[in-house]
Amino acid sequence: MSLRFAYNTNGLAHHRLDDALELLADNGYDGVALTVDHHHLDPLAPDALDAAERLRDRLDELGLDVMLETGARFLLDPRDKHEPTFVTASADGRRRRAGFLERVVDLAVVLRAETVSFWAGVPKPDVHLDEAWGWLVSGVQQVAEHAAQAGVPLSFEPEPGMLVEDAAGWERLRAELSGVPPLRLALDSGHCLVAGDLLPDEAVRRYAADLGTVAVEDMRKGVHEHLVWGEGDMDVPAVLHALQDVGYDRLVTVELSRDSHRAHQLVPQTIRYLRESAA
């Protein structure tokens, strides 16, 4: 089967959103992984839902599907990267994270997005991990109930260095949620090389039935740094062939958030590389 490829807008940070979408469509991408941010469909803006309706019309014109990412660095706090999260000590901060994700779920309804992807957060040094786990379960439960009512699939991403950093942690979290559809796995294949628990293609095969979204990029073993093809240890063809073998039909996304300065080069190079690797 043919895989469907998308590029993450966190790797197009210096482009206007419409310019980024045109660039992807002109290069033959099937969709976009939209990291909602202050400059790319700001979910905190009063007119965000209206903006999402206009964006959906534009995506239809360009023939692009969409999934939503929620890893913007300074959207909620301009002074503290990624904060607040589900594992922030402040109860108000945790409520802000949950409310933000609920807002993104509402945008996903308008956009007809394939899924909303999110992660746990990094506990501060003064936070007890058992307490942080309870906060995480409670917050995810709230957002999952909201998503279930809206009919939006949620995908949880294990992230190196966060409270949940591997698939085993995702399994534990999913098991502790109640009364909601199963929490899907947002598998960043490069993170498998960092965690070292599974080879990326093995993870695809093991969790095939639970995959909500999959990202590919190059990465070195044990180092959480998203790299361009050929700079790391990732066997990209093995991952793509595994996705084909298991019949994966959602968007396969590319996240190169540190390379926005050369997106005009990487966007066309990436789609050529992925198609050749999948052939």
Side-chain angles (χ1 to χ4, degrees):
M1 62 172 293
S2 297
L3 297 175
R4 299 162 55 240
F5 296 115
Y7 202 94
N8 196 317
T9 56
N10 65 10
L12 290 153
H14 306 310
H15 283 72
R16 297 181 185 89
L17 181 56
D18 193 64
D19 291 340
L21 297 177
E22 283 194 5
L23 183 63
L24 298 182
D26 288 348
N27 280 280
Y29 284 83
D30 302 284
V32 58
L34 175 56
T35 295
V36 292
D37 208 339
H38 63 90
H39 61 309
H40 287 162
L41 187 63
D42 184 352
L44 306 183
D47 65 342
L49 292 174
D50 292 336
E53 290 183 357
R54 295 190 295 271
L55 176 57
R56 183 63 259 178
D57 291 341
R58 185 63 174 139
L59 291 169
D60 288 340
E61 290 175 1
L62 295 171
L64 294 174
D65 294 319
V66 63
M67 59 84 59
L68 296 185
E69 296 268 3
T70 57
R73 291 178 173 89
F74 296 102
L75 182 62
L76 299 185
D77 188 336
R79 295 174 177 84
D80 200 353
K81 179 183 174 182
H82 288 154
E83 288 289 325
T85 73
F86 283 125
V87 296
T88 297
S90 164
D92 180 64
R94 298 195 300 273
R95 282 192 293 269
R96 287 184 59 210
R97 172 59 59 173
F100 158 65
L101 290 175
E102 289 178 342
R103 178 70 159 173
V104 177
V105 166
D106 295 340
L107 295 176
V109 173
V110 177
L111 290 167
R112 303 194 302 276
E114 289 189 357
T115 190
V116 171
S117 174
F118 67 106
W119 34 242
V122 180
K124 298 291 188 181
D126 58 344
V127 170
H128 193 282
L129 295 186
D130 288 341
E131 191 171 27
W133 186 265
W135 296 337
L136 175 64
V137 173
S138 177
V140 174
Q141 180 75 40
Q142 175 185 330
V143 176
E145 290 174 358
H146 183 82
Q149 292 176 356
V152 173
L154 284 184
S155 299
F156 186 90
E157 181 180 6
E159 184 87 17
M162 293 193 175
L163 183 63
V164 177
E165 55 184 351
D166 56 24
W170 160 76
E171 290 189 51
R172 177 187 170 190
L173 174 61
R174 184 177 65 165
E176 294 190 24
L177 300 176
S178 61
V180 293
L183 187 65
R184 296 185 181 185
L185 175 62
L187 177 66
D188 189 316
S189 54
H191 294 172
C192 296
L193 293 180
V194 181
D197 54 339
L198 284 173
L199 290 175
D201 57 306
E202 291 175 345
V204 167
R205 298 180 193 281
R206 177 176 297 187
Y207 297 109
D210 300 303
L211 296 175
T213 183
V214 174
V216 293
E217 66 281 309
D218 213 340
M219 203 169 289
R220 298 187 186 97
K221 293 178 181 178
V223 181
H224 186 200
E225 184 178 358
H226 293 237
L227 302 172
V228 177
W229 324 109
E231 297 181 356
D233 302 313
M234 174 69 72
D235 186 345
V236 176
V239 175
L240 299 181
H241 295 162
L243 289 168
Q244 291 172 321
D245 290 345
V246 302
Y248 180 80
D249 61 358
R250 298 181 178 88
L251 292 171
V252 180
T253 72
V254 175
E255 183 178 349
L256 295 173
S257 59
R258 302 179 185 183
D259 291 281
S260 289
H261 63 288
R262 49 177 176 163
H264 62 301
Q265 298 169 333
L266 290 180
V267 164
Q269 289 175 11
T270 291
I271 192 69
R272 288 196 298 269
Y273 174 81
L274 291 174
R275 285 173 173 162
E276 292 170 1
S277 297

